[in-house]
Amino acid sequence: SQTIHQWPATLVQPVGSPLSLECTVEGTSNPNLYWYRQAAGRGLQLLFYSVGIGQISSEVPQNLSASRPQDRQFILSSKKLLLSDSGFYLCAWGGDKVLTEAFFGQGTRLTVV
Amino acid sequence: AQTVTQSQPEMSVQEAETVTLSCTYDTSESNYYLFWYKQPPSRQMILVIRQEAYKQQNATENRFSVNFQKAAKSFSLKISDSQLGDTAMYFCALTDSGYALNFGKGTSLLVTP
């Protein structure tokens, strides 16, 4: 069966520091991969999605970036964090090609101080 | 552009009772998928139920069922025999692009003894 791993679970970082959140999927090949952010009291905002290695689509312009160095690995990064980057970050995967459902990791709570 | 609207920020229901959460959406596509996700205090996003737009029959999963009104672009979730473990944020979501889910802002459901 497919599983998705996301780490770390919690992270406290100072303003201006770099960020790297990692997500890996097991039990499937060529998944669509997604990064969502959930700000306090708000819904989920799609940040990036990837349909294949090296293919990244950005939905929201910001100081975050994403990379997909391997088929089942998706990384969210920042060179310099802002206070507004605080939130709950969720990685998700969907089936190959057309998305018919998505499965989520356990999330990372990022607090920028 | 697709939009998903959940007009009930908070709801409460007594244990064993039935509650209905509302969701309306807008899309110009004829083929799309609708979802309800549950996010308990652990923050893990859990798929509750899925509906394919071209299927007339309303989806059901045990105590969870939907009322899908395609012409009205309405997709409500009914939870029967509510349990304390149903306490969570519930998100309605839509995909019509085949690439990503678009979420509503969520409804916080509290089940009371």
Side-chain angles (χ1 to χ4, degrees), chain A residues 34 36 38 99 102 106 109, chain B residues 37 39 43-44 98-99 101:
Chain A
Y34 307 86
Y36 283 88
Q38 185 178 23
L99 177 68
Q106 294 189 317
R109 171 162 303 283
Chain B
Y37 278 88
Q39 187 181 42
R43 306 299 296 272
Q44 174 79 51
Y99 288 114
L101 290 173

Side-chain angles (χ1 to χ4, degrees), chain A residues 44-83:
Chain A
L44 279 73
Q45 178 187 40
L46 178 63
L47 302 176
F48 301 95
Y49 69 90
S50 172
V51 298
I53 295 174
Q55 301 178 61
I56 308 295
S57 295
S58 174
E59 292 292 306
V60 180
Q62 58 211 333
N63 70 321
L64 298 172
S65 62
S67 62
R68 185 169 177 175
Q70 300 180 36
D71 180 44
R72 289 171 286 180
Q73 184 184 30
F74 204 25
I75 298 171
L76 182 69
S77 304
S78 174
K79 292 182 179 178
K80 291 185 178 181
L81 284 168
L82 306 173
L83 288 175

Side-chain angles (χ1 to χ4, degrees), chain B:
Chain B
Q2 53 176 291
T3 59
V4 179
T5 303
Q6 294 179 250
S7 58
Q8 305 153 315
E10 297 179 349
M11 293 190 71
S12 66
V13 63
Q14 284 194 316
E15 207 173 359
E17 297 295 310
T18 295
V19 63
T20 298
L21 309 183
S22 300
C23 173
T24 58
Y25 62 92
D26 190 27
T27 176
S28 58
E29 300 294 327
S30 59
N31 189 27
Y32 50 90
Y33 292 82
L34 291 158
F35 308 83
W36 278 98
Y37 278 88
K38 169 185 177 181
Q39 187 181 42
S42 67
R43 306 299 296 272
Q44 174 79 51
M45 291 288 286
I46 302 166
L47 178 64
V48 175
I49 201 164
R50 182 183 79 162
Q51 175 78 43
E52 299 170 66
Y54 60 85
K55 288 191 175 180
Q56 299 281 353
Q57 188 174 5
N58 289 326
T60 62
E61 286 289 340
N62 301 314
R63 297 182 295 109
F64 298 88
S65 62
V66 298
N67 183 7
F68 175 46
Q69 300 291 326
K70 191 172 183 178
K73 293 185 177 177
S74 171
F75 184 61
S76 60
L77 175 70
K78 185 172 80 172
I79 306 174
S80 304
D81 186 25
S82 297
Q83 301 175 0
L84 296 178
D86 294 334
T87 292
M89 282 288 290
Y90 287 82
F91 292 96
C92 180
L94 161 73
T95 180
D96 62 5
S97 66
Y99 288 114
L101 290 173
N102 188 26
F103 285 84
K105 292 188 176 181
T107 296
S108 177
L109 176 66
L110 175 65
V111 181
T112 58

